[in-house]
Amino acid sequence: MKLSSNQKKILEKLITKFENSKTYEKTNKFKQSFYVKPSEIFKNYYSDFADINEVGDFENDTYELQSEGYVEIKYKKHSSVIDKIYLNVSKVDQIRSVIGIKEKNEVKTEELRFFEGYMKNDGFSGWYSRQEIERIRCGKKIRYSIPESTIILDLIDRIIGNEDELLERELSIITFGNSKTFEKKYRRKVCGLLSEYLEATDQMSDFNIAVNSDTERNHLLLERYGIYQNPAYVYIKGNIKIKHSDNRIIDVLKDSSIAISTSLIKQINEVVVTDKKIVTVENLTSFHRIEAEDTSFVYTGGYSGRTVKRFLQYIKSNNPDRSFYHFGDLDPDGFCILDNLIDTTGIDIKPIHMDMENLIKYKPFAKPLSERDVKLARSLIRKGHNIDVLKYMIEENIKLEQEIITYNLN
């Protein structure tokens, strides 16, 4: 029997109700029956404005299921209008075969076996599999089917283990054979699960940044692992000389910023900084405006990706006697960005212009803290980071964007 769309929906709903029952679990004390109302399948069935042909098609589909013995129809009193469609429990195995689904406990066993194969793994795949096993044992559905879970597990492990600079479209081609599948079908799922994993394993404290959209946040999260939506560049200005492996030399000027691509950074042999100070700057407006004697500047763009961090490490290794500073927003995120730079580059970076004096001076331009800001500030205070400034922020309920400071610096 070839099922229509209505027939398949009716049988699938009835099987689901049966398999979620005590009868299926063999724990029932009383006899149970299982039914669907026509409106659960065809929502306009009882409407006076329903298309008469659609109503007729639905009823004919239902009569055919009854003639096969899969269901029994009950009508409203003194009427030919269908009231309920009951499952014939004795035909459950046959119905499963007709609609092409496996028995619930068989599916559950397969799912457990699948995730148990990953459970002892380190990292994301082990963590995620333990979550899914717990869901199965609690009677909940797994988040994604086994075929899709296989793709997601392999994809996230590949992202976390990535050591190259990859574009999202390149990742998609490597994984799926085309450039758009990752963006269209998997980016949101992957980033959602990856964020959940990082939160659960206390690896998200350096990524609590406010963004305008989930899409922007997802791009920043992927950049953490060297995967970019578009080619990555490092914006720099100052008295800097960059020597490449093919003997090319780029002279960077103090009063004119330039952008260095990822591909060029990979070819760097040496970076010579004449200035005594190197200052990383969080926001692009401030990077373009800020000037200082004997100082070179590197734009980080908030939580910087691997390209920026690699370039800073080049500078440090070639100029060990230079001093490093960071200038960001005077808010908890700004200090988290600083901590992230220190942790991921291994460079001793000091804050500059991120002090009590500037916070007080520009207080009229300050904004109130969000609930998340307060939690983040308290977390940093517990770690012993920038205690006085952060306590003042909480006490006064203020935070400050760095643009007002750079506007008045020169």
PDB file of all heavy atoms in Angstrom, residues 45-61:
ATOM      1  N   TYR A  45     -10.408  20.602   9.277  1.00  0.00           N
ATOM      2  CA  TYR A  45     -11.424  19.559   9.021  1.00  0.00           C
ATOM      3  C   TYR A  45     -12.805  19.958   9.551  1.00  0.00           C
ATOM      4  O   TYR A  45     -13.821  19.737   8.898  1.00  0.00           O
ATOM      5  CB  TYR A  45     -10.985  18.241   9.648  1.00  0.00           C
ATOM      6  CG  TYR A  45     -11.992  17.133   9.448  1.00  0.00           C
ATOM      7  CD1 TYR A  45     -12.183  16.534   8.206  1.00  0.00           C
ATOM      8  CD2 TYR A  45     -12.798  16.696  10.512  1.00  0.00           C
ATOM      9  CE1 TYR A  45     -13.123  15.525   8.013  1.00  0.00           C
ATOM     10  CE2 TYR A  45     -13.745  15.688  10.333  1.00  0.00           C
ATOM     11  CZ  TYR A  45     -13.899  15.117   9.081  1.00  0.00           C
ATOM     12  OH  TYR A  45     -14.839  14.123   8.893  1.00  0.00           O
ATOM     13  N   TYR A  46     -12.858  20.550  10.733  1.00  0.00           N
ATOM     14  CA  TYR A  46     -14.147  20.898  11.341  1.00  0.00           C
ATOM     15  C   TYR A  46     -14.632  22.297  10.949  1.00  0.00           C
ATOM     16  O   TYR A  46     -15.685  22.741  11.399  1.00  0.00           O
ATOM     17  CB  TYR A  46     -14.065  20.804  12.865  1.00  0.00           C
ATOM     18  CG  TYR A  46     -13.792  19.402  13.373  1.00  0.00           C
ATOM     19  CD1 TYR A  46     -12.643  19.133  14.111  1.00  0.00           C
ATOM     20  CD2 TYR A  46     -14.689  18.365  13.137  1.00  0.00           C
ATOM     21  CE1 TYR A  46     -12.385  17.855  14.591  1.00  0.00           C
ATOM     22  CE2 TYR A  46     -14.441  17.078  13.610  1.00  0.00           C
ATOM     23  CZ  TYR A  46     -13.295  16.838  14.323  1.00  0.00           C
ATOM     24  OH  TYR A  46     -13.057  15.565  14.790  1.00  0.00           O
ATOM     25  N   SER A  47     -13.852  22.995  10.154  1.00  0.00           N
ATOM     26  CA  SER A  47     -14.207  24.373   9.804  1.00  0.00           C
ATOM     27  C   SER A  47     -15.323  24.399   8.759  1.00  0.00           C
ATOM     28  O   SER A  47     -15.345  23.601   7.811  1.00  0.00           O
ATOM     29  CB  SER A  47     -12.977  25.103   9.261  1.00  0.00           C
ATOM     30  OG  SER A  47     -13.347  26.354   8.715  1.00  0.00           O
ATOM     31  N   ASP A  48     -16.242  25.346   8.928  1.00  0.00           N
ATOM     32  CA  ASP A  48     -17.314  25.530   7.945  1.00  0.00           C
ATOM     33  C   ASP A  48     -16.777  26.065   6.618  1.00  0.00           C
ATOM     34  O   ASP A  48     -17.468  26.010   5.594  1.00  0.00           O
ATOM     35  CB  ASP A  48     -18.362  26.519   8.480  1.00  0.00           C
ATOM     36  CG  ASP A  48     -19.132  25.940   9.664  1.00  0.00           C
ATOM     37  OD1 ASP A  48     -19.212  24.695   9.763  1.00  0.00           O
ATOM     38  OD2 ASP A  48     -19.630  26.737  10.477  1.00  0.00           O
ATOM     39  N   PHE A  49     -15.531  26.573   6.664  1.00  0.00           N
ATOM     40  CA  PHE A  49     -14.953  27.177   5.461  1.00  0.00           C
ATOM     41  C   PHE A  49     -13.910  26.272   4.799  1.00  0.00           C
ATOM     42  O   PHE A  49     -13.214  26.688   3.883  1.00  0.00           O
ATOM     43  CB  PHE A  49     -14.305  28.524   5.814  1.00  0.00           C
ATOM     44  CG  PHE A  49     -15.257  29.485   6.452  1.00  0.00           C
ATOM     45  CD1 PHE A  49     -15.249  29.685   7.828  1.00  0.00           C
ATOM     46  CD2 PHE A  49     -16.196  30.167   5.686  1.00  0.00           C
ATOM     47  CE1 PHE A  49     -16.139  30.555   8.419  1.00  0.00           C
ATOM     48  CE2 PHE A  49     -17.087  31.047   6.275  1.00  0.00           C
ATOM     49  CZ  PHE A  49     -17.075  31.249   7.653  1.00  0.00           C
ATOM     50  N   ALA A  50     -13.806  25.028   5.266  1.00  0.00           N
ATOM     51  CA  ALA A  50     -12.821  24.106   4.702  1.00  0.00           C
ATOM     52  C   ALA A  50     -13.172  23.768   3.257  1.00  0.00           C
ATOM     53  O   ALA A  50     -14.347  23.706   2.883  1.00  0.00           O
ATOM     54  CB  ALA A  50     -12.766  22.833   5.534  1.00  0.00           C
ATOM     55  N   ASP A  51     -12.156  23.554   2.462  1.00  0.00           N
ATOM     56  CA  ASP A  51     -12.343  23.150   1.063  1.00  0.00           C
ATOM     57  C   ASP A  51     -12.990  21.768   1.038  1.00  0.00           C
ATOM     58  O   ASP A  51     -12.433  20.807   1.578  1.00  0.00           O
ATOM     59  CB  ASP A  51     -10.979  23.120   0.367  1.00  0.00           C
ATOM     60  CG  ASP A  51     -11.090  22.844  -1.125  1.00  0.00           C
ATOM     61  OD1 ASP A  51     -11.660  21.794  -1.489  1.00  0.00           O
ATOM     62  OD2 ASP A  51     -10.583  23.666  -1.910  1.00  0.00           O
ATOM     63  N   ILE A  52     -14.134  21.665   0.407  1.00  0.00           N
ATOM     64  CA  ILE A  52     -14.900  20.417   0.425  1.00  0.00           C
ATOM     65  C   ILE A  52     -14.146  19.266  -0.241  1.00  0.00           C
ATOM     66  O   ILE A  52     -14.258  18.105   0.158  1.00  0.00           O
ATOM     67  CB  ILE A  52     -16.288  20.625  -0.223  1.00  0.00           C
ATOM     68  CG1 ILE A  52     -17.176  19.413   0.051  1.00  0.00           C
ATOM     69  CG2 ILE A  52     -16.146  20.877  -1.728  1.00  0.00           C
ATOM     70  CD1 ILE A  52     -18.636  19.656  -0.271  1.00  0.00           C
ATOM     71  N   ASN A  53     -13.352  19.589  -1.240  1.00  0.00           N
ATOM     72  CA  ASN A  53     -12.560  18.550  -1.902  1.00  0.00           C
ATOM     73  C   ASN A  53     -11.450  18.023  -0.996  1.00  0.00           C
ATOM     74  O   ASN A  53     -11.177  16.819  -0.969  1.00  0.00           O
ATOM     75  CB  ASN A  53     -11.948  19.098  -3.199  1.00  0.00           C
ATOM     76  CG  ASN A  53     -13.005  19.384  -4.250  1.00  0.00           C
ATOM     77  OD1 ASN A  53     -13.968  18.623  -4.403  1.00  0.00           O
ATOM     78  ND2 ASN A  53     -12.837  20.486  -4.979  1.00  0.00           N
ATOM     79  N   GLU A  54     -10.812  18.929  -0.233  1.00  0.00           N
ATOM     80  CA  GLU A  54      -9.767  18.515   0.706  1.00  0.00           C
ATOM     81  C   GLU A  54     -10.356  17.669   1.823  1.00  0.00           C
ATOM     82  O   GLU A  54      -9.749  16.678   2.257  1.00  0.00           O
ATOM     83  CB  GLU A  54      -9.057  19.740   1.284  1.00  0.00           C
ATOM     84  CG  GLU A  54      -8.195  20.476   0.267  1.00  0.00           C
ATOM     85  CD  GLU A  54      -7.477  21.668   0.878  1.00  0.00           C
ATOM     86  OE1 GLU A  54      -7.636  21.898   2.102  1.00  0.00           O
ATOM     87  OE2 GLU A  54      -6.762  22.367   0.152  1.00  0.00           O
ATOM     88  N   VAL A  55     -11.557  18.048   2.294  1.00  0.00           N
ATOM     89  CA  VAL A  55     -12.238  17.254   3.321  1.00  0.00           C
ATOM     90  C   VAL A  55     -12.531  15.853   2.780  1.00  0.00           C
ATOM     91  O   VAL A  55     -12.297  14.839   3.445  1.00  0.00           O
ATOM     92  CB  VAL A  55     -13.544  17.938   3.777  1.00  0.00           C
ATOM     93  CG1 VAL A  55     -14.342  17.006   4.699  1.00  0.00           C
ATOM     94  CG2 VAL A  55     -13.237  19.254   4.492  1.00  0.00           C
ATOM     95  N   GLY A  56     -13.023  15.790   1.552  1.00  0.00           N
ATOM     96  CA  GLY A  56     -13.326  14.498   0.940  1.00  0.00           C
ATOM     97  C   GLY A  56     -12.096  13.632   0.780  1.00  0.00           C
ATOM     98  O   GLY A  56     -12.133  12.416   1.059  1.00  0.00           O
ATOM     99  N   ASP A  57     -10.986  14.234   0.358  1.00  0.00           N
ATOM    100  CA  ASP A  57      -9.734  13.480   0.210  1.00  0.00           C
ATOM    101  C   ASP A  57      -9.272  12.930   1.551  1.00  0.00           C
ATOM    102  O   ASP A  57      -8.830  11.774   1.646  1.00  0.00           O
ATOM    103  CB  ASP A  57      -8.641  14.379  -0.380  1.00  0.00           C
ATOM    104  CG  ASP A  57      -8.871  14.706  -1.845  1.00  0.00           C
ATOM    105  OD1 ASP A  57      -9.675  13.986  -2.491  1.00  0.00           O
ATOM    106  OD2 ASP A  57      -8.262  15.680  -2.331  1.00  0.00           O
ATOM    107  N   PHE A  58      -9.378  13.760   2.590  1.00  0.00           N
ATOM    108  CA  PHE A  58      -8.958  13.319   3.921  1.00  0.00           C
ATOM    109  C   PHE A  58      -9.809  12.139   4.393  1.00  0.00           C
ATOM    110  O   PHE A  58      -9.289  11.145   4.914  1.00  0.00           O
ATOM    111  CB  PHE A  58      -9.057  14.479   4.920  1.00  0.00           C
ATOM    112  CG  PHE A  58      -8.704  14.084   6.326  1.00  0.00           C
ATOM    113  CD1 PHE A  58      -7.378  14.003   6.721  1.00  0.00           C
ATOM    114  CD2 PHE A  58      -9.695  13.767   7.246  1.00  0.00           C
ATOM    115  CE1 PHE A  58      -7.047  13.621   8.017  1.00  0.00           C
ATOM    116  CE2 PHE A  58      -9.372  13.387   8.537  1.00  0.00           C
ATOM    117  CZ  PHE A  58      -8.046  13.315   8.928  1.00  0.00           C
ATOM    118  N   GLU A  59     -11.102  12.245   4.245  1.00  0.00           N
ATOM    119  CA  GLU A  59     -11.993  11.169   4.688  1.00  0.00           C
ATOM    120  C   GLU A  59     -11.746   9.886   3.895  1.00  0.00           C
ATOM    121  O   GLU A  59     -11.711   8.785   4.471  1.00  0.00           O
ATOM    122  CB  GLU A  59     -13.445  11.613   4.554  1.00  0.00           C
ATOM    123  CG  GLU A  59     -13.816  12.688   5.575  1.00  0.00           C
ATOM    124  CD  GLU A  59     -15.244  13.183   5.459  1.00  0.00           C
ATOM    125  OE1 GLU A  59     -15.833  13.032   4.359  1.00  0.00           O
ATOM    126  OE2 GLU A  59     -15.762  13.734   6.453  1.00  0.00           O
ATOM    127  N   ASN A  60     -11.525  10.001   2.594  1.00  0.00           N
ATOM    128  CA  ASN A  60     -11.233   8.817   1.788  1.00  0.00           C
ATOM    129  C   ASN A  60      -9.931   8.154   2.226  1.00  0.00           C
ATOM    130  O   ASN A  60      -9.835   6.916   2.270  1.00  0.00           O
ATOM    131  CB  ASN A  60     -11.158   9.193   0.298  1.00  0.00           C
ATOM    132  CG  ASN A  60     -12.523   9.497  -0.288  1.00  0.00           C
ATOM    133  OD1 ASN A  60     -13.549   8.990   0.195  1.00  0.00           O
ATOM    134  ND2 ASN A  60     -12.557  10.341  -1.318  1.00  0.00           N
ATOM    135  N   ASP A  61      -8.922   8.980   2.548  1.00  0.00           N
ATOM    136  CA  ASP A  61      -7.655   8.430   3.053  1.00  0.00           C
ATOM    137  C   ASP A  61      -7.882   7.646   4.347  1.00  0.00           C
ATOM    138  O   ASP A  61      -7.299   6.581   4.563  1.00  0.00           O
ATOM    139  CB  ASP A  61      -6.656   9.564   3.324  1.00  0.00           C
ATOM    140  CG  ASP A  61      -6.059  10.140   2.046  1.00  0.00           C
ATOM    141  OD1 ASP A  61      -6.105   9.450   1.016  1.00  0.00           O
ATOM    142  OD2 ASP A  61      -5.543  11.284   2.090  1.00  0.00           O
TER     143      ASP A  61
END
